[in-house]
């Protein structure tokens, strides 16, 4: 078994060496070891609620108080998190001197991340595209549409007070706290209600023209820590294969769609990537 695994690793490394345009498509599994909840599978609940259902414009329109409490929690987790070993390996690949060690023919390298935690931005240069936005961005819902970064913790007093109310409850889902709109984050320019500056389900991701161009040119796609179920990111690997490129999947639990990849590596990203690229893990 170990011999077979070594052969697959060797074949992948050889293919990577001849790749000219490399793109990494990253998802929640990349940041899981940093303490960022994935909100899928067993981690899909928050205060006994389906966390995924809160990441929609409709949920915010219906109950901005609840959605902001959810994103207060997400902001807190992101503020506490630090890049892990998988982030470090990919970061080194983005540096030309290190990239030449594993892909001497490479002319370009880009990271496209679905994560909003900003962990990749901490250690990556401009080659990262945060297609779903950034958790610390805040956007005005009014006419001015102002978007700004605010890392204040808490973002407003009411969110901090609401969070403290749950500290003594074993099941936070048994208590509901309604924050008045006027006490929620407001736009500093026009005073309108503000919302998290991330891309929700049903909204258009950022940087799509640039990302589409990168995917079209890529001859090697590394899919790292994503279930490949959310459009349009779920189509990127297939599109690379369709024009003759290769796809390698690094995931804790690869699914049926992943089996179509040229290489599949099962396991936590923060362990598998350093194992395959020991020269980038030092």
């Amino acid at each position: 078994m170990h011999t077979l695994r070594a052969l697959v690793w060797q074949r992948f490394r050889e293919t990577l060496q001849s790749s000219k345009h490399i793109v990494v498509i990253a998802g929640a599994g990349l940041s899981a070891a940093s303490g960022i909840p994935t909100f899928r599978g067993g981690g899909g609940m928050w205060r006994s609620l389906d966390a995924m259902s809160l990441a929609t414009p409709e949920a915010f329109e219906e109950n901005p108080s609840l959605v902001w409490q959810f994103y207060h929690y997400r902001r807190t987790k992101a503020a506490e998190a630090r890049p892990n070993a998988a982030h470090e390996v990919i970061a080194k690949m983005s540096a030309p001197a290190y990239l030449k060690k594993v892909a001497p023919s490479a002319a370009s390298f880009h990271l496209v991340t679905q994560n909003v935690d900003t962990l990749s931005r901490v250690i990556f240069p401009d080659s990262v595209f945060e297609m779903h936005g950034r958790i610390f961005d805040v956007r005005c819902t009014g006419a001015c549409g102002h978007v700004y970064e605010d890392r204040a913790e808490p973002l407003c007093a009411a969110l901090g007070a609401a969070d403290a109310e749950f500290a003594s409850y074993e099941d936070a889902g048994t208590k509901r706290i309604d924050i008045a709109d006027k006490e929620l984050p407001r736009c500093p320019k026009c005073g309108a209600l503000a919302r998290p500056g991330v891309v929700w389900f049903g909204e258009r991701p950022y940087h799509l023209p640039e990302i589409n161009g990168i995917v079209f040119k890529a001859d090697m796609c590394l899919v790292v820590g994503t279930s490949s179920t959310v459009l349009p990111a779920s189509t990127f690997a297939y599109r690379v294969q369709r024009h003759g490129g290769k796809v390698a999947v690094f995931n804790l639990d690869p699914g049926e769609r992943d089996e179509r990849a040229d290489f599949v590596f099962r396991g936590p990203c923060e362990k598998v990537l350093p194992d395959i690229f020991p020269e980038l893990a030092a």
Side-chain angles (χ1 to χ4, degrees):
M1 185 66 177
H2 292 298
T3 301
L4 177 60
R5 183 176 65 178
L7 288 173
V8 174
W9 286 16
Q10 181 181 347
R11 283 179 45 235
F12 165 66
R13 291 288 304 250
E14 290 172 350
T15 303
L16 185 65
Q17 287 176 0
S18 62
S19 300
K20 294 181 172 59
H21 301 288
I22 303 166
V23 60
V24 176
I25 310 298
L30 174 62
S31 295
S34 296
I36 304 293
T38 63
F39 294 117
R40 286 190 180 277
M45 303 303 293
W46 171 81
R47 293 185 181 175
S48 300
L49 300 170
D50 175 14
M52 305 304 293
S53 68
L54 298 174
T56 69
E58 294 78 15
F60 186 77
E61 182 176 355
E62 178 181 346
N63 195 337
S65 169
L66 181 63
V67 172
W68 259 122
Q69 289 176 63
F70 172 54
Y71 276 89
H72 168 73
Y73 168 76
R74 295 194 69 183
R75 285 167 57 92
T76 300
K77 298 300 288 185
E80 295 170 348
R82 296 295 178 269
N84 61 58
H87 289 108
E88 298 286 351
V89 168
I90 298 174
K92 286 188 175 180
M93 290 182 74
S94 73
Y98 283 100
L99 181 61
K100 292 298 181 183
K101 292 183 178 182
V102 296
S105 300
S108 70
F109 177 93
H110 295 91
L111 168 66
V112 176
T113 181
Q114 301 169 81
N115 297 334
V116 299
D117 52 47
T118 74
L119 289 178
S120 293
R121 187 159 60 112
V122 170
I123 53 178
F124 280 88
D126 295 333
S127 57
V128 56
F129 291 88
E130 295 164 302
M131 64 182 298
H132 291 164
R134 302 166 180 170
I135 193 68
F136 298 108
D137 282 356
V138 182
R139 184 195 307 169
C140 175
T141 64
C144 86
H146 179 51
V147 179
Y148 59 100
E149 182 179 76
D150 191 336
R151 291 179 175 261
E153 186 59 42
L155 193 55
C156 66
L159 287 173
D163 190 53
E165 285 289 316
F166 286 98
S168 61
Y169 284 86
E170 293 183 5
D171 181 3
T174 62
K175 184 176 179 65
R176 172 171 171 165
I177 295 180
D178 293 317
I179 302 173
D181 285 4
K182 65 180 181 180
E183 297 180 19
L184 291 171
R186 314 293 296 189
C187 175
K189 285 195 170 183
C190 72
L193 178 65
R195 55 159 280 183
V198 298
V199 175
W200 284 329
F201 291 107
E203 296 181 329
R204 181 179 174 84
Y206 298 125
H207 314 298
L208 272 186
E210 297 93 332
I211 293 171
N212 285 332
I214 290 166
V215 170
F216 178 79
K217 189 167 64 172
D219 57 358
M220 172 60 76
C221 178
L222 310 183
V223 180
V224 180
T226 174
S227 58
S228 297
T229 58
V230 178
L231 292 170
S234 60
T235 69
F236 294 159
Y238 168 73
R239 287 160 57 188
V240 170
Q241 279 188 318
R242 190 170 59 186
H243 65 246
K246 301 297 183 181
V247 172
V249 170
F250 302 82
N251 209 349
L252 182 63
D253 188 23
E256 289 185 17
R257 182 177 308 213
D258 296 327
E259 297 305 321
R260 293 181 287 183
D262 300 280
F263 307 95
V264 178
F265 302 100
R266 182 184 298 271
C269 305
E270 70 278 6
K271 183 179 186 305
V272 176
L273 282 171
D275 284 349
I276 294 180
F277 299 111
E279 65 269 59
L280 302 182

